[in-house]
């Protein structure tokens, strides 16, 4: 068994100190390596770039270490126990890596624990220590690693065990003076641990979230696959993100996403936070256990491509808000607004006509995760369009089976197969399963939705569920759709803009749009429009009144060069979606949303 010890002598310098004892190293020269990516976040991140001061000894003798590539080291031949020591720089406040300062610490094992090559299937022990500073003496620890020291306080520092390296790096760790909220779901202990500065109405959050989590357990069937569950939440001024793990999740949210004591209004931000918690929880089944065959286990030294991310992120995105409405935590109107906002995000980019969700999945590493200013023109998100495809599959199954079957059956079947075989999912397996459950051949439709770029038949499908679709123009640059609007833009400028203090910057231009035709590009700084200092308010006001074909005289900086152009406004694009229940008594709607 290998033994890790992690602590810090210098949290203000953002260093974790790690020691690793390898009892039986490869006598030919033990290799050690760090992952280049973390499961759930499909981008090469080269965690080894933060590792310094690597030294290896046997007893008192320092051994020679040879670096083989960007992430692998080999120690000289030695058949006695090795003591490996190094430091990891941790100053990335995100859910994907590691962070440490005098206020709190967070790490994923993939950032800090070197893998003992050839022994990745062996169990390992890990001791986690509080940083050696008086300022940190009241710190507590939160992780779902399995405790070995018998300490009944589940937030104590101490000794833990992992069955193998994959498990070791799948339980993120938070340390600090956090606020813990504890509750049970079907008898399973759940904790939410919040770090940062915030105000929180704990009861309201637990009351809204618990029934949605029960929905997920009900869908797949009891027992849930985890013994306990932990939400690690980093609260910041402005941030958003989540990463799923086998019995926990790391989340980042903005202070204002959380419900405050004395506040009863359900803000869009709070609804989105509930959706995020629900999303990561659903991943406990869909992607942490039911997963693409190539992730079973994944090669963490390089990109692992799969055309299936749409099924793991898209279907999960579909069930995150669906569980909230089925649980009664949000209203059907709020649910439809959320669906319309997702649809709007897809509709706003013409990339949906260029890239399929299978292609978006496969190329996630270089395209979705590395988006540039042209992303809207070139790619589609396997999250958002994947969610819409999941919706299409669900509504189609419900319609063709006279409401006897649904996507729920597909997910249950996938779960049963996982429980029976522990095998990964092959490329066409989900489609075959949909066909089996439909009792008819939907291959052509499914191929179109998954591998094609044609518009989805959402309008027709939703109509059968008593829901009307309205397409409208934007009413501002912040307009995310979902809500009706009586005053909308009359003409299109063909670009996204961002006011940054005094300056108005073009974020992106639409291919063949008015801005692009006038020669404007992302990064250009708009100085004046029609002789008046440019601002987002001014442009918004002009677009609410001006007509296609009318012109704007624009002065702008490209880099440091002042330029002029005349922009001819184009017709608006009806890319903001609003969904309305037109028939509240629709039986299909009630069955679908469990009203
Ligand atoms: Zn996800």
């Amino acid at each position: 068994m290998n033994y890790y010890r992690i602590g810090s002598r210098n949290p203000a310098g953002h260093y974790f100190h790690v020691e690793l004892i390898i009892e039986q190293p490869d006598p030919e020269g033990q290799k050690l390596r760090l992952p280049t990516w973390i499961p759930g976040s499909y981008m090469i991140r080269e965690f080894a770039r933060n590792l310094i001061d690597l030294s290896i000894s046997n007893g008192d003798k320092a051994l020679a270490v040879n670096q083989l590539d960007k992430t692998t080291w080999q120690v000289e031949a030695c058949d006695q126990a090795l003591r490996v020591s190094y430091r990891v720089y941790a100053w990335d406040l995100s859910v994907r890596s590691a962070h440490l300062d005098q206020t709190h610490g967070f790490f994923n094992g993939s950032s800090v624990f070197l893998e003992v090559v050839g022994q990745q299937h062996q169990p390992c022990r890990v001791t986690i220590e509080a940083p050696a500073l008086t300022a940190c003496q009241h710190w507590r620890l939160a992780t779902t690693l399995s405790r070995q020291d018998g300490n009944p306080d589940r937030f104590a520092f101490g000794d833990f065990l992992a069955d193998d390296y994959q498990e070791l790096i799948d339980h993120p760790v938070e340390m600090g003076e956090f606020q813990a909220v504890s509750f049970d779901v079907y008898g399973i202990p759940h904790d939410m641990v919040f770090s940062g500065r915030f105000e929180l109405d704990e009861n309201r959050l637990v009351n809204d979230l618990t029934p949605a989590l029960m929905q997920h357990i009900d869908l797949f069937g009891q027992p849930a696959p985890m013994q306990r569950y932990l939400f690690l939440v980093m609260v910041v001024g402005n941030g958003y993100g989540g990463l799923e793990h086998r019995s926990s999740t790391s989340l980042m949210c903005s202070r204002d996403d959380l419900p405050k004591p004395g506040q009863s209004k359900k803000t869009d931000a709070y609804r989105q936070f509930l959706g995020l918690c629900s999303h990561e929880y659903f991943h406990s089944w869909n992607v942490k256990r039911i997963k693409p065959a190539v992730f079973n286990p994944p090669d963490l030294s390089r990109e692992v491509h799969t055309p299936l991310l749409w099924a793991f992120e898209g279907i999960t995105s579909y069930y995150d808000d669906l569980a909230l409405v089925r649980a009664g935590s949000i209203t059907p109107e709020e649910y439809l607004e959320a669906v319309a906002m997702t649809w709007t995000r897809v509709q706003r980019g013409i990339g949906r006509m260029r890239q399929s969700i299978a292609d978006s999945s496969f190329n996630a590493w270089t395209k979705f995760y590395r988006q540039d200013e042209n992303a809207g023109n070139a790619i589609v998100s396997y999250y958002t369009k994947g969610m819409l495809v999941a919706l299409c599959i669900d509504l189609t199954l419900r319609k063709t089976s006279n409401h006897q079957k649904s996507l729920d059956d597909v997910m249950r079947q996938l779960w049963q197969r996982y429980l029976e075989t522990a095998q990964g999912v092959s490329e066409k397996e989900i489609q075959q399963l949909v066909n089996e459950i439909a009792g008819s051949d939907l291959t052509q439709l499914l191929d179109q939705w998954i591998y094609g770029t044609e518009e989805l038949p959402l309008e027709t499908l939703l109509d059968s569920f008593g829901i009307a679709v309205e397409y409208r123009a934007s009413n501002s640059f912040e307009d995310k759709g979902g809500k009706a609007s009586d005053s909308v833009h009359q003409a299109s400028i063909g670009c996204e803009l961002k006011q940054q203090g005094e300056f108005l910057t073009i974020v992106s231009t639409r291919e063949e749009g008015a801005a692009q035709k006038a020669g404007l590009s992302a990064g250009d700084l708009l100085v004046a429009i029609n002789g008046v200092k440019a601002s987002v308010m001014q442009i918004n006001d002009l677009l609410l009144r001006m007509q296609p074909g009318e012109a704007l005289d624009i002065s702008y900086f490209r880099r440091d060069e002042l330029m002029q152009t005349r922009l001819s406004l184009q017709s608006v694009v009806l890319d903001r979606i609003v969904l309305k229940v037109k028939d509240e008594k629709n039986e299909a709607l009630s069955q679908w949303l469990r009203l």
Side-chain angles (χ1 to χ4, degrees):
M1 185 170 329
N2 298 317
Y3 174 56
Y4 296 83
R5 174 182 289 267
I6 182 166
S8 177
R9 293 187 284 278
N10 183 13
H14 319 301
Y15 278 106
F16 281 110
H17 292 75
V18 188
E19 256 183 37
L20 162 60
I21 308 291
I22 307 169
E23 286 176 342
Q24 292 180 308
D26 177 354
E28 307 287 303
Q30 180 61 53
K31 287 182 188 164
L32 297 161
R33 70 180 165 208
L34 212 54
T36 62
W37 60 282
I38 177 166
S41 184
Y42 307 106
M43 186 165 141
I44 298 295
R45 295 183 192 276
E46 326 281 26
F47 298 118
R49 71 199 165 90
N50 293 316
L51 190 152
I52 64 165
D53 290 352
L54 175 67
S55 66
I56 306 181
S57 63
N58 76 1
D60 295 333
K61 183 177 165 250
L63 300 172
V65 182
N66 184 25
Q67 185 165 4
L68 303 181
D69 59 34
K70 62 185 178 185
T71 193
T72 316
W73 291 264
Q74 185 169 28
V75 66
E76 68 176 278
C78 175
D79 55 7
Q80 293 166 295
L82 301 178
R83 181 177 170 279
V84 183
S85 147
Y86 53 95
R87 294 199 288 160
V88 175
Y89 183 64
W91 191 230
D92 174 12
L93 190 63
S94 82
V95 297
R96 302 172 295 255
S97 180
H99 168 92
L100 180 65
D101 65 10
Q102 64 276 29
T103 68
H104 81 123
F106 169 82
F107 67 80
N108 287 287
S110 44
S111 283
V112 296
F113 295 133
L114 280 169
E115 176 188 343
V116 181
V117 177
Q119 299 188 20
Q120 54 267 42
H121 301 300
Q122 291 189 19
C124 40
R125 271 169 49 207
V126 53
T127 297
I128 307 176
E129 294 171 337
L133 275 191
T134 9
C136 308
Q137 62 187 346
H138 298 299
W139 280 24
R140 297 190 291 169
L141 177 92
T143 180
T144 47
L145 274 166
S146 108
R147 187 173 284 278
Q148 286 304 294
D149 53 19
N151 192 330
D153 175 5
R154 65 187 182 289
F155 295 126
F157 286 85
D159 301 330
F160 301 87
L161 185 80
D163 282 344
D164 53 28
Y165 184 76
Q166 283 295 325
E167 187 187 347
L168 178 68
I169 64 169
D170 203 12
H171 295 280
V173 173
E174 169 69 29
M175 52 180 83
E177 293 185 46
F178 47 70
Q179 181 173 335
V181 180
S182 303
F183 56 102
D184 275 10
V185 182
Y186 285 133
I188 303 166
H190 285 56
D191 293 300
M192 293 187 99
V193 158
F194 295 86
S195 65
R197 295 185 181 180
F198 56 89
E199 291 179 82
L200 173 65
D201 182 340
E202 295 183 359
N203 289 338
R204 185 173 170 205
L205 178 57
V206 170
N207 289 340
D208 286 337
L209 196 54
T210 305
L213 306 183
M214 289 166 82
Q215 286 288 330
H216 294 326
I217 298 177
D218 290 341
L219 189 149
F220 289 103
Q222 299 210 41
M226 51 280 191
Q227 309 286 316
R228 61 176 284 210
Y229 194 86
L230 174 65
F231 295 87
L232 295 174
V233 191
M234 287 186 265
V235 188
V236 294
N238 185 18
Y240 180 80
L243 194 58
E244 64 276 7
H245 298 280
R246 62 183 68 185
S247 54
S248 61
T249 178
S250 312
L251 308 176
M252 178 172 279
C253 75
S254 304
R255 201 163 290 135
D256 289 338
D257 296 351
L258 298 175
K260 299 183 179 76
Q263 178 191 60
S264 58
K265 187 175 181 288
K266 197 183 298 145
T267 59
D268 286 358
Y270 177 44
R271 185 182 73 197
Q272 198 180 14
F273 178 72
L274 289 173
L276 178 65
C277 295
S278 170
H279 179 99
E280 303 304 345
Y281 198 76
F282 191 84
H283 272 316
S284 308
W285 291 265
N286 197 35
V287 96
K288 291 315 301 184
R289 290 174 174 87
I290 306 165
K291 57 175 79 172
V294 287
F295 287 177
N296 198 20
D299 178 349
L300 295 178
S301 70
R302 59 172 184 83
E303 296 89 341
V304 180
H305 297 279
T306 168
L308 284 175
L309 291 183
W310 71 267
F312 295 94
E313 290 304 344
I315 294 178
T316 303
S317 299
Y318 175 58
Y319 278 103
D320 56 23
D321 286 338
L322 188 62
L324 294 177
V325 66
R326 284 178 169 178
S329 304
I330 60 173
T331 64
E333 290 70 30
E334 288 169 328
Y335 175 67
L336 291 179
E337 194 178 304
V339 172
M341 285 166 75
T342 302
W343 187 354
T344 297
R345 279 169 72 185
V346 174
Q347 212 63 18
R348 284 173 71 172
I350 58 172
R352 74 182 189 283
M353 299 187 270
R354 304 272 154 72
Q355 192 187 38
S356 69
I357 50 171
D359 188 64
S360 174
S361 300
F362 195 88
N363 289 295
W365 303 84
T366 46
K367 294 191 172 177
F368 184 75
Y369 265 90
R370 291 170 67 179
Q371 293 183 36
D372 61 16
E373 63 289 337
N374 198 42
N377 294 318
I379 69 167
V380 73
S381 158
Y382 54 83
Y383 280 82
T384 50
K385 192 180 168 190
M387 179 266 162
L388 297 179
V389 168
L391 172 63
C392 285
I393 295 175
D394 194 21
L395 298 189
T396 303
L397 285 174
R398 288 171 184 278
K399 220 173 136 175
T400 54
S401 69
N402 202 19
H403 308 291
Q404 300 305 302
K405 300 286 178 194
S406 71
L407 187 59
D408 298 2
D409 296 286
V410 178
M411 299 317 294
R412 272 192 285 272
Q413 278 285 335
L414 283 168
W415 180 237
Q416 279 311 314
R417 286 186 188 185
Y418 164 80
L419 289 176
E420 283 156 23
T421 68
Q423 299 278 302
V425 175
S426 64
E427 183 177 348
K428 296 284 182 175
E429 200 168 333
I430 295 172
Q431 282 176 262
Q432 284 159 4
L433 208 47
V434 172
N435 283 336
E436 274 171 39
I437 283 164
S440 59
D441 190 2
L442 302 176
T443 306
Q444 206 186 342
L445 269 186
L446 295 170
D447 275 349
Q448 244 177 47
W449 301 344
I450 298 163
Y451 297 93
T453 54
E454 290 163 51
E455 300 286 14
L456 300 170
L458 282 162
E459 213 178 319
T460 323
L461 283 169
L462 287 166
D463 183 68
S464 313
F465 289 74
I467 295 164
V469 180
E470 183 199 324
Y471 299 82
R472 63 165 175 80
S474 55
N475 59 23
S476 69
F477 287 94
E478 294 84 48
D479 181 4
K480 295 187 167 75
K483 294 179 171 78
S485 179
D486 25 352
S487 143
V488 296
H489 287 169
Q490 302 300 303
S492 165
I493 192 170
C495 64
E496 298 294 330
L497 294 161
K498 190 163 69 181
Q499 186 84 41
Q500 291 175 303
E502 283 285 289
F503 302 106
L504 185 60
T505 314
I506 297 187
V507 177
S508 62
T509 59
R510 188 181 177 89
E511 192 172 338
E512 305 280 338
Q516 214 177 75
K517 287 200 161 166
L520 292 166
S521 292
D524 288 348
L525 216 71
L526 302 194
V527 179
I529 294 175
N530 296 344
V532 174
K533 185 178 172 189
S535 74
V536 82
M537 266 176 63
Q538 171 209 23
I539 297 186
N540 205 38
D541 175 58
L542 290 170
L543 295 178
L544 289 169
R545 294 182 286 112
M546 291 178 75
Q547 297 301 311
E550 291 189 273
L552 300 174
D553 286 312
I554 298 181
S555 309
Y556 64 101
F557 277 113
R558 170 153 310 165
R559 296 180 294 276
D560 62 351
E561 297 170 15
L562 186 62
M563 322 256 288
Q564 304 284 338
T565 187
R566 170 163 275 224
L567 179 147
S568 174
L569 293 171
Q570 292 184 346
S571 303
V572 287
V573 186
L574 303 179
D575 55 8
R576 265 51 172 197
I577 312 293
V578 183
L579 299 178
K580 279 197 191 111
V581 177
K582 57 181 178 184
D583 174 11
E584 281 180 6
K585 297 203 174 64
N586 185 297
E587 181 62 20
L589 179 69
S590 304
Q591 291 211 17
W592 171 40
L593 302 184
R594 309 223 178 109
L595 303 178

